[in-house]
Amino acid sequence: MIYLGIFNRKQKKVDNKFSIIPSHIAIIMDGNGRWAKKRGLPRTLGHKAGVEAIREIVKECSKIGIEYLTFYAFSTENWKRPQDEVNGLMKLLVQYLKGEFKELDRNNVVINYIGNISKLPEICQEELIKAKNLTKNNTGLTLNLALNYGGRDEIVYSFKNILKAYDQGEFSIEELNEEMISNNLYTKGIPDPELMIRTSGEERLSNFLIWQLAYSEFYFTDVLWPDFKKDDLYLALKTFERRDRRFGGLK
Ligand code: IPE
Ligand code: IPE
Ligand code: MG
């Protein structure tokens, strides 16, 4: 038998012991449409299958002890898609929050969102706010859903907040620093992701967390999001474990 090593995902035998784990993982869940197309299914069924993958990965990350998990669920650019698909995604979001709430709460998960949710259908906003309020005292994994999220939009949002404070005379231009910009982003109070995963073979950020990912490790995989299972997560974490993070310094 040829030994293929632990990095062959087909072997499905990646162990889940890690010497170091990221406290924050950010995921660009991509490939739902292609997953559906391969099966001759409508794109919406690809998104539905994608929700199943979210369930498994949230559970796994919770178990491993990841503190923050951010999912890119809907970008500021995704409004360009056909109305039917957009509606389907919004419906899935509500179904997910309603259907999964009890289980997430039982698992001590804090539900949070980033992005300009005021542009989402009202029912989505209501479910998000409710879920956030009801889980705010939980102490486990923070599940961060990026919705109508764009990294550039977020930086504009941060600058607007900062300029309001500047208008009030709260600081001088010389005092403006990186921390102030970070503290006025949607992700205020959340550490920058150490690991960013993108599925489906695309290797770009698509306007995701452009400020926060400045020093993150990137992990790209050809696996389509609905096929991304716990072993794929372990593989990403094993790869992260071997990365040599220098932050501009020396070993
Ligand atoms: C990612 O899958 C999900 C969202 C953007 C909401 P896609 O829908 O982008 O899938 P592909 O890229 O068309 O395969
Ligand atoms: C990024 O995926 C957005 C989400 C996963 C929500 P897209 O599929 O929309 O990105 P592009 O169009 O390939 O850059
Ligand atoms: Mg895509």
Side-chain angles (χ1 to χ4, degrees):
M1 202 180 101
I2 301 163
Y3 178 63
L4 297 167
I6 62 159
F7 295 102
N8 183 335
R9 72 181 287 271
K10 289 209 175 69
Q11 228 182 343
K12 291 282 176 196
K13 256 193 205 143
V14 190
D15 72 79
N16 64 348
K17 302 276 175 293
F18 308 101
S19 58
I20 182 167
I21 53 164
S23 62
H24 184 178
I25 304 177
I27 304 184
I28 304 181
M29 316 179 272
D30 201 6
N32 294 352
R34 276 161 283 169
W35 184 93
K37 195 172 177 201
K38 260 175 43 181
R39 289 163 178 75
L41 300 170
R43 293 179 59 83
T44 315
L45 287 186
H47 296 312
K48 202 167 168 216
V51 175
E52 291 308 316
I54 295 180
R55 280 201 185 99
E56 174 160 339
I57 298 308
V58 170
K59 203 154 74 186
E60 240 4 84
C61 284
S62 230
K63 219 189 291 175
I64 295 169
I66 305 294
E67 289 174 68
Y68 300 91
L69 179 59
T70 300
F71 284 117
Y72 205 5
F74 194 87
S75 74
T76 46
E77 286 70 37
N78 286 147
W79 297 108
K80 294 176 196 159
R81 296 191 180 198
Q83 192 63 47
D84 270 4
E85 183 171 348
V86 171
N87 292 345
L89 284 166
M90 297 302 156
K91 221 160 128 186
L92 271 177
L93 169 66
V94 173
Q95 274 173 16
Y96 173 75
L97 289 170
K98 282 191 170 168
E100 210 61 11
F101 179 81
K102 272 203 190 112
E103 173 80 1
L104 290 170
D105 193 37
R106 192 163 351 112
N107 287 321
N108 207 13
V109 171
V110 179
I111 300 171
N112 191 39
Y113 52 80
I114 55 171
N116 180 2
I117 69 155
S118 74
K119 297 284 183 289
L120 302 183
E122 245 161 58
I123 175 78
C124 296
Q125 297 181 44
E126 282 164 20
E127 288 300 325
L128 282 165
I129 293 165
K130 195 164 85 189
K132 182 177 169 161
N133 283 336
L134 291 171
T135 58
K136 66 169 188 259
N137 294 323
N138 287 349
T139 53
L141 172 96
T142 294
L143 169 62
N144 225 1
L145 299 171
L147 290 159
N148 189 24
Y149 173 88
R152 289 185 173 180
D153 173 68
E154 183 183 35
I155 291 172
V156 172
Y157 168 82
S158 174
F159 282 16
K160 281 184 180 165
N161 286 336
I162 292 169
L163 288 172
K164 276 179 212 155
Y166 179 74
D167 258 358
Q168 305 291 314
E170 289 176 25
F171 65 93
S172 69
I173 287 177
E174 287 66 37
E175 285 172 307
L176 180 66
N177 57 29
E178 294 183 8
E179 203 187 340
M180 283 167 73
I181 295 175
S182 292
N183 285 340
N184 284 285
L185 296 169
Y186 295 124
T187 51
K188 173 187 161 90
I190 298 175
D192 292 341
E194 290 100 326
L195 174 64
M196 189 285 293
I197 298 172
R198 182 166 188 158
T199 57
S200 87
E202 309 297 348
E203 301 189 352
R204 55 176 172 266
L205 284 181
S206 302
N207 204 9
F208 188 45
L209 300 174
I210 54 177
W211 174 273
Q212 298 88 334
L213 294 176
Y215 249 113
S216 309
E217 296 297 325
F218 289 2
Y219 178 83
F220 297 106
T221 171
D222 287 338
V223 176
L224 302 174
W225 176 250
D227 292 327
F228 193 87
K229 305 289 179 223
K230 78 175 184 211
D231 282 294
D232 301 291
L233 174 74
Y234 293 167
L235 216 47
L237 289 169
K238 284 284 165 201
T239 306
F240 176 79
E241 199 177 34
R242 291 178 304 145
R243 296 274 173 94
D244 177 19
R245 307 191 74 202
R246 292 184 292 275
F247 301 98
L250 300 176
K251 265 188 124 171

Coordinates of all heavy atoms in Angstrom, one line a residue, residues 28-34 43 78 81 198-200 202 204 206, ligand 3:
I28 N -14.5 31.9 4.3 CA -15.3 32.3 3.1 C -15.8 31.0 2.5 O -15.1 30.2 1.9 CB -14.4 33.0 2.0 CG1 -13.7 34.2 2.6 CG2 -15.2 33.4 0.8 CD1 -12.8 35.0 1.7
M29 N -17.1 30.8 2.7 CA -17.8 29.6 2.3 C -18.2 29.8 0.8 O -19.1 30.5 0.5 CB -19.1 29.4 3.1 CG -19.0 29.7 4.6 SD -20.6 29.5 5.3 CE -21.4 31.1 5.2
D30 N -17.4 29.2 0.0 CA -17.6 29.4 -1.4 C -17.8 28.0 -2.1 O -17.2 27.0 -1.7 CB -16.4 30.1 -2.0 CG -16.8 30.8 -3.3 OD1 -18.0 30.8 -3.7 OD2 -15.9 31.4 -4.0
G31 N -18.6 28.0 -3.2 CA -18.8 26.8 -4.0 C -20.1 26.2 -3.9 O -20.3 25.1 -4.5
N32 N -21.1 26.8 -3.2 CA -22.4 26.2 -3.1 C -23.1 26.0 -4.5 O -23.7 25.0 -4.8 CB -23.3 27.1 -2.3 CG -22.9 27.2 -0.8 OD1 -22.0 26.5 -0.4 ND2 -23.5 28.1 -0.1
G33 N -22.9 27.1 -5.3 CA -23.5 27.0 -6.7 C -22.9 25.9 -7.5 O -23.7 25.2 -8.2
R34 N -21.6 25.8 -7.5 CA -20.9 24.8 -8.3 C -21.3 23.4 -7.8 O -21.5 22.4 -8.5 CB -19.4 25.0 -8.3 CG -19.0 26.0 -9.3 CD -17.6 26.5 -9.0 NE -17.6 27.5 -8.0 CZ -16.6 28.0 -7.4 NH1 -15.4 27.6 -7.7 NH2 -16.7 28.9 -6.4
R43 N -29.3 26.3 -7.7 CA -28.3 26.9 -6.8 C -28.8 26.9 -5.3 O -28.0 26.8 -4.4 CB -27.9 28.3 -7.2 CG -27.2 28.4 -8.6 CD -26.9 29.8 -9.0 NE -26.1 30.5 -8.0 CZ -24.7 30.4 -7.9 NH1 -24.1 29.6 -8.8 NH2 -24.1 31.0 -7.0
N78 N -23.1 40.6 -3.1 CA -24.0 39.5 -3.5 C -25.4 40.0 -3.9 O -26.2 39.2 -4.4 CB -24.1 38.5 -2.3 CG -22.9 37.6 -2.2 OD1 -22.5 37.2 -1.1 ND2 -22.2 37.3 -3.3
R81 N -26.8 39.3 -7.4 CA -27.3 38.0 -7.9 C -28.8 38.1 -8.2 O -29.5 39.0 -7.8 CB -27.0 37.0 -6.8 CG -25.6 36.8 -6.6 CD -25.3 35.6 -5.7 NE -23.8 35.4 -5.6 CZ -23.2 34.3 -5.2 NH1 -24.0 33.3 -4.9 NH2 -21.9 34.3 -5.1
R198 N -10.7 29.6 2.7 CA -11.6 29.8 1.6 C -11.7 28.5 0.8 O -10.7 27.9 0.4 CB -11.2 30.9 0.6 CG -12.3 31.1 -0.5 CD -12.1 32.4 -1.2 NE -13.3 32.6 -2.1 CZ -13.7 33.8 -2.6 NH1 -13.0 34.9 -2.3 NH2 -14.7 33.8 -3.4
T199 N -12.9 28.1 0.6 CA -13.2 26.8 -0.1 C -13.4 27.1 -1.6 O -13.5 28.3 -2.0 CB -14.4 26.1 0.5 OG1 -15.6 27.0 0.4 CG2 -14.2 25.7 1.9
S200 N -13.5 26.1 -2.4 CA -13.9 26.0 -3.8 C -12.8 26.4 -4.8 O -13.0 26.5 -6.0 CB -15.1 26.9 -4.0 OG -14.8 28.2 -4.3
E202 N -11.1 29.2 -5.2 CA -10.9 30.6 -5.5 C -9.9 31.1 -4.5 O -10.0 30.8 -3.3 CB -12.2 31.4 -5.4 CG -13.4 30.9 -6.1 CD -13.2 30.9 -7.6 OE1 -12.2 31.5 -8.1 OE2 -14.0 30.2 -8.3
R204 N -9.0 34.5 -3.5 CA -9.1 36.0 -3.3 C -9.9 36.3 -2.1 O -10.6 35.4 -1.5 CB -9.7 36.6 -4.6 CG -11.1 36.0 -4.9 CD -11.7 36.7 -6.1 NE -12.9 36.0 -6.6 CZ -12.9 35.1 -7.5 NH1 -11.8 34.8 -8.2 NH2 -14.0 34.5 -7.9
S206 N -12.3 38.8 -1.9 CA -13.7 39.2 -2.2 C -14.3 40.2 -1.1 O -15.4 40.0 -0.7 CB -14.7 38.0 -2.4 OG -14.2 37.2 -3.4
Ligands
MG3 MG -18.9 32.0 -5.2

